Each structure stands twice: as C-alpha cells, then as structure tokens.
Amino acid sequence: MQRWRGLEDIPEGWGRSVVTIGSYDGVHRGHQLIIGKTVARARELGVPAVVVTFDPHPSEVVRPGTHPPLLAPHERRAELMAGLGVDAVLILPFTKEFSKLAPADFVVKVLVDKLHAQLVVEGPNFRFGHKAAGTVETLAELGGTYDYAVEVVDLFERGTAGGGEPFSSTLTRRLVAEGDVAGAREVLGRPHRVEGEVVRGAQRGRELGFPTANVETLPHTAIPADGVYAGWLHADGEKMPAAISVGTNPQFDGTARTVEAHAIDRVGLELYGLHVAVDFYAYLRGMEKFETLDGLLERMAVDVKETRELIGAAEAEAEAGS
C-alpha cells in the first residue's frame, strides 16, 4: 500500500481512483463498512482505492486544545486500512490555511486535480471545507460539474456496546475512558491498543517478582480508565499474554499515570527502548491501595491467574473460529 504525506507525494500521472475522506480514527466497524465499500467499488471499476485523512486532527487546528484522545496513530490506521485492501492512504497536513478552503476549492484541489476521483464514497454525516460547510449533497452537486459520482454508505452499525448506540469513534473513546474495553472491542472489531516506547520506571515490579514494561504512550492516546486489565503485549515481533496496570500506583503513593504490562510466564525480557503495543481485552478490577504489601502480591497473583485463563480462552476461541 502506498502512503503519501501531502498532495505533492502523489505520483505524477496518477490515474482515476475511488476515494473516501475522513479522520477514520480507530478504523472501527462503521468505518470498515465505508472503507470496504470503497475497496469493493474500486475493484469493480478497475482503479485504486484511496483513503484521504488528516494530521493533526482538524479540531486541534480549528479549536486549539480540543484534540480528542486518539484511538490509533496514523501508522496503525494505515496498517488496518491495508488489511481492508486499500491501495493508498493520503495524509493531508491540516493547517489553518487548509481549514479555510471552501468546499468547492477542496474538491478541485484534492479530488479533481490530484486524485482524479471517479467515485467518492462517504457516510451520511460527512462534512468538509471551511466551517464544515460542505455536505454529501454538496459533494454530489460538485460531482456533476467535475465528473465524479458519489455513493453514501449507512455506517450506523449497532451492538450491545454503549447501550446499543450507533458505533462511532466518540462512543469508543467514551467506552475506553470508562474502562469498558470489552465494549470498545465490540465497536472496533478488535481490542483497543495503545503504543509507545518502553522506558525505565521505579522497577518495583521487578523487585516484587512481577516485572513490567512501562510504556510511554504516544501523545493524545486514548488510555483506559485506571485499573487492571487482561490483554496482550506486542514486542519485538511477539504477542504475549499480559496483565496490564493503568494508574498512578497508589500502593506507593505515585502521582504519574502510567501504563505497565506484565508479560505472563516470560522471564528475562529486555524491552527498554523498544516500541511496543498493548492490547486491552478485558477489565479485571479497579486500582486499589492494599493494607499490606503481601495483600498486593496476593492480588497480583490472582490478576495473573485470571489473565492467563481469560486470554487462554480467547485464543482457543479465535483458533477454533479460524
């Protein structure tokens, strides 16, 4: 899959394409419907499927300080989109100047002059251009002038998550913030993931017999509520069952909020300096301060046991379904 950073990265002589535009943070199941439709129509027409997205999030430019917690960094989004069959991802630097483009100017500058769109696929609530003045109706009207078609996909998938709310990035962020990683998993179609570099912490876990990878998460990451979770640690090409702690470590009167993952049944891992990923599968319990250190150690042993059982069952189910 090709990845372009800005309009100038699009190859000379790029032909016609099927395009979809959006932030697509998380590439959740609603997004997957739109992207899947984009890919399917591109295959039918014999042209490439292109996703156009933005960096930073438009809200940070239009209303500084309102950058939403991110469900996935751009590299992860591109990886997920490639898995859906997308041929190219165009990441447009979102600047003040760019935000002032009128809808028609956006269409000409991006869709017509550079991507030569034959078809644009969007959800019903798509907005674009200065002050989000452009709608799917605007897009279709301009298509009549500039020789492209528009198809609208109903992305309102629903499940049990959020009490049956339509799947969205906003819902997913709320579920993650509440610690409902099972609900977030339903919306995303996979576990919520955070990424970052393993840094040195106080090393208390190592001293207590439960060494952890202290993950310095990427800026604006959507981090689950404080608590203990079952999930996986991805490091150096391996996927390892892990008990994950999120919080300030109240047992030792900590103040900094951290994400720490204990890889179960693994000894001697050296992960400092590595970029790792942590997948959150299930919530185990809230963050607690125990009366004694022994009480903490007993609870940590239970956390590991429960994680081993939950992840073992999840992996067995996945293998049976494959």
Side-chain angles (χ1 to χ4, degrees), residues 35-312:
I35 296 171
K37 181 68 170 181
T38 303
V39 170
R41 294 292 282 123
R43 298 295 180 266
E44 291 170 11
L45 295 169
V47 298
V50 181
V51 175
V52 178
T53 188
F54 309 97
D55 187 34
H57 193 283
S59 67
E60 182 64 17
V61 174
V62 177
R63 298 178 297 279
T66 65
H67 199 305
L70 291 179
L71 299 170
H74 280 289
E75 283 297 313
R76 174 64 171 158
R77 288 183 228 176
E79 176 186 308
L80 293 166
M81 290 172 185
L84 295 170
V86 171
D87 298 296
V89 172
L90 168 62
I91 301 173
L92 291 175
F94 200 88
T95 62
K96 272 283 190 187
E97 181 183 9
F98 190 86
S99 75
K100 293 175 181 176
L101 280 178
D105 293 334
F106 175 90
V107 163
V108 171
K109 188 179 181 72
V110 179
L111 294 177
V112 179
D113 288 350
K114 285 295 187 177
L115 294 176
H116 310 294
Q118 183 171 346
L119 172 67
V120 182
V121 180
E122 293 297 341
N125 294 332
F126 175 66
R127 306 299 291 260
F128 68 105
H130 186 48
K131 295 187 177 179
T135 64
V136 288
E137 290 77 19
T138 311
L139 193 63
E141 289 170 12
L142 291 165
T145 301
Y146 295 109
D147 188 30
Y148 64 81
V150 173
E151 289 187 13
V152 179
V153 178
D154 182 355
L155 54 78
F156 292 121
E157 285 281 282
R158 296 174 187 267
T160 60
E165 285 186 40
F167 292 165
S168 68
S169 297
T170 299
L171 170 61
T172 313
R173 292 186 191 107
R174 192 181 84 221
L175 294 170
V176 168
E178 293 170 353
D180 185 0
V181 295
R185 172 160 47 88
E186 182 186 11
V187 180
L188 293 169
R190 63 183 184 280
H192 175 60
R193 172 176 292 188
V194 304
E195 300 182 31
E197 182 179 325
V198 178
V199 298
R200 292 187 182 276
Q203 297 189 309
R204 292 193 187 94
R206 187 182 297 269
E207 294 168 5
L208 297 173
F210 295 92
T212 60
N214 188 343
V215 183
E216 186 173 69
T217 54
L218 300 175
H220 304 297
T221 294
I223 298 173
D226 289 4
V228 179
Y229 299 82
W232 291 271
L233 172 66
H234 298 256
D236 206 19
E238 286 194 71
K239 179 182 179 181
M240 298 167 275
I244 307 152
S245 169
V246 178
T248 58
N249 207 336
Q251 192 70 31
F252 300 97
D253 299 320
T255 55
R257 194 163 184 254
T258 62
V259 175
E260 300 181 58
H262 168 66
I264 294 173
D265 301 327
R266 296 301 300 269
V267 178
L269 285 175
E270 290 297 335
L271 302 177
Y272 293 121
L274 291 184
H275 184 91
V276 303
V278 178
D279 286 348
F280 290 82
Y281 179 75
Y283 176 87
L284 297 181
R285 63 175 175 89
M287 192 56 61
E288 302 175 55
K289 183 171 184 177
F290 294 85
E291 292 186 4
T292 65
L293 188 57
D294 284 343
L296 170 64
L297 292 173
E298 288 173 9
R299 182 64 243 198
M300 290 170 73
V302 171
D303 296 336
V304 167
K305 178 177 180 293
E306 290 181 354
T307 296
R308 187 185 288 113
E309 291 171 352
L310 279 168
I311 298 305

